[in-house]
Amino acid sequence: MARNIGAACRRCRREGLKLYLKGDRCYSDKCSYERRAFGPGQHGQARFKKLSNYAVQLREKQKVKAMYGMLEGQFKLNFQKADRQKGVTGENLLVMLERRLDNTVFRLGFAASRNQARQLVRHKHILVNGRKVDIPSFLVSVNDIITLKEKSRANSAINENLEAVARRGIPSWIELDKDNFKATIKAMPNREEITMPIQEQLIVELYSK
């Protein structure tokens, strides 16, 4: 399966925003974006002319792609599905991205980053309704029960992540039973709980050209 293996911190600096791609490092003084809050490369600190409308829309799409760890083909497919649904396309897209299993595992605190969450899913550490699911793009639904495999519950990294999850908070659409390594999907994600500065309408305008 194709994946982006480029330097994560460069992506944050390219978008001019901390995307929290490296877990605990992003909250520490080791964060590259905090130390060098300018674009990567030899011209990163140079001043550029005002971006065109297309460039602004493109950067917004690239930012959201990087945030959720997706490639162009995957992201476009999700947009097309969101566009076919009833309601506001941009909000449909963000809700669909939030419902991805790798994002859900990250949100409930089993992993420190979405990349780490994707690894847990691919290595079959995660059960959905008692069954192993190793597809990161699997969409969770209301009343789904997400649990950690019995043999994985002694993993020190996962336990440390669960202790640290209070720092970023757990969204209200997930109910976490930390002691039993179990979470229940209480409702669909809503736009108000996606607190990262995302302007989804720019993505809709880009794909509508």
Side-chain angles (χ1 to χ4, degrees):
M1 179 179 175
R3 60 193 178 95
N4 192 330
I5 59 173
C9 294
R10 287 176 65 90
R11 276 175 269 164
C12 294
R13 292 171 58 201
R14 179 65 184 87
E15 304 306 333
L17 177 71
K18 189 184 287 193
L19 302 176
Y20 298 96
L21 303 178
K22 299 195 76 172
D24 286 341
R25 183 186 177 94
C26 297
Y27 295 93
S28 72
D29 55 7
K30 294 181 179 180
C31 175
S32 293
Y33 181 77
E34 293 287 352
R35 292 185 286 114
R36 294 176 290 177
F38 50 84
Q42 63 179 353
H43 300 298
Q45 299 186 63
R47 293 187 177 183
F48 295 98
K49 62 182 180 180
K50 184 178 179 181
L51 295 176
S52 66
N53 287 337
Y54 173 80
V56 171
Q57 294 164 357
L58 178 63
R59 292 265 49 92
E60 192 67 21
K61 183 198 71 169
Q62 297 294 80
K63 178 178 76 178
V64 177
K65 275 174 52 183
M67 194 180 300
Y68 286 94
M70 302 177 70
L71 300 179
E72 176 61 29
Q74 298 169 311
F75 192 82
K76 189 172 184 178
L77 182 61
N78 276 268
F79 177 84
Q80 292 170 344
K81 290 179 179 178
D83 193 35
R84 290 194 294 267
Q85 295 175 0
K86 294 181 180 179
V88 181
T89 299
E91 292 186 10
N92 291 343
L93 174 63
L94 293 185
V95 168
M96 190 179 300
L97 296 179
E98 283 292 300
R99 289 177 58 200
R100 285 172 57 98
L101 182 57
D102 55 357
N103 179 75
T104 304
V105 170
F106 163 68
R107 290 291 195 195
L108 63 88
F110 287 169
S113 66
R114 290 183 179 88
N115 188 49
Q116 190 180 90
R118 189 172 301 110
Q119 189 176 39
L120 288 179
V121 174
R122 295 294 293 176
H123 291 184
K124 302 181 181 180
H125 292 279
I126 304 299
L127 308 179
V128 179
N129 300 324
R131 295 185 177 182
K132 290 180 185 177
V133 177
D134 61 356
I135 303 172
S137 61
F138 176 88
L139 298 182
V140 299
S141 301
V142 177
N143 296 324
D144 278 353
I145 298 175
I146 316 297
T147 52
L148 194 66
K149 192 171 65 173
E150 189 73 36
K151 291 182 179 179
S152 305
R153 298 182 182 187
N155 186 299
S156 59
I158 293 174
N159 281 279
E160 288 173 8
N161 293 336
L162 279 172
E163 291 301 321
V165 71
R167 180 167 49 202
R168 65 172 184 264
I170 299 174
S172 62
W173 53 277
I174 301 174
E175 182 179 299
L176 175 64
D177 181 355
K178 189 188 298 186
D179 294 333
N180 293 312
F181 299 88
K182 181 175 75 171
T184 304
I185 307 301
K186 299 194 302 180
M188 287 292 96
N190 61 70
R191 179 63 184 88
E192 290 69 29
E193 287 191 294
I194 304 173
T195 56
M196 293 293 285
I198 297 173
Q199 300 179 64
E200 63 272 18
Q201 184 56 32
L202 293 176
I203 301 173
V204 177
E205 291 170 3
L206 177 67
Y207 279 125
S208 298
K209 289 184 180 298

